[in-house]
Amino acid sequence: MNMLTRENRDADRTQTDQFIVPPSSVIEGSDGYTLEVEMPGVNKDGLDISIENNELTIIGRRSLPKIEGTLIHHESRQENFRRTFELDPSIGADKISARIEQGLVTLTLPKAEHVKPRKITVS
Amino acid sequence: MSLIRYQAPELTPWSASDRWNTLRDELNSFFELPSWSSFPRAGQLFTGWSPALDLYQSTDNIVATVELPGMRKEDIEISLHDGTLTISGERKRESTDGEKAERTERYVGVFRRSIALPTRVDASKVSATYRDGILTVTLPKAEEVKPKQIQVS
């Protein structure tokens, strides 16, 4: 009986991925927004960005360096990162671009043309 | 010795003895500071950013890894003094002309982490790499503290 409960619990653990919420910053410029998300240990291959129902999801899977030896002081967390943002309707979802540099994901979210301030010259 | 403690102590499963050592080192470090004014950002001792640090020990090396996402290599400083490894630096804010921050969770500014090394290391052979936002400092142990096998002749 005991054995069975333990097995079930382990199965649950493998099914649900554990994620932590990475710190992020949103900066608004005149042309759009810049979104910065901290994902140390994540490189280009581990990054997964998707947009569904106007919701932007960023998942970062870490590829941490293997280090020989015993861990004698531990502060970092091993879990992968996941964060979602609701997109403002003014953002042109098809024009979003992303890059990752030293574990920092930078997304550029340009405002759609029709919401940019426009000057109309009187002819 | 931790001049600035990591902000999430509930994530650090230390054994009781470690905790006492840390407390002792922390008290010691307080007295070692020449004066508060010479310590950068003394007022931000508990509000500044303090990156997560792990320490590994193997037969030959002590390895420290620090999570420093989005830094420039040139802005990271590593120093070794009296058996204490100090990693410090500054994350600079990008120019924000005509921009406004909607939400800021990332820390910018100065950080400093210090940790007492468990054994003596060979300071001349210390090496460091910075990859994917993780700084890895490898400190080879000093010859005299490495375990040695002595053959009976």
Side-chain angles (χ1 to χ4, degrees), chain A residues 5 23 29-30 32 35 49 53 57-58 60 78 81 89 94 103 108 110 114 118 122-123:
Chain A
T5 19
S30 52
L35 176 62
I49 303 169
N53 295 330
T57 304
I58 307 162
Q78 310 305 308
F81 301 103
D94 50 329
T108 311
H114 62 91
R118 201 179 298 169
V122 181
S123 55

Side-chain angles (χ1 to χ4, degrees), chain A residues 12-30:
Chain A
D12 277 347
R13 199 172 300 152
T14 48
Q15 273 169 17
T16 48
D17 252 347
Q18 292 272 320
F19 289 108
I20 48 172
V21 177
S24 71
S25 291
V26 183
I27 301 141
E28 188 182 356
S30 52

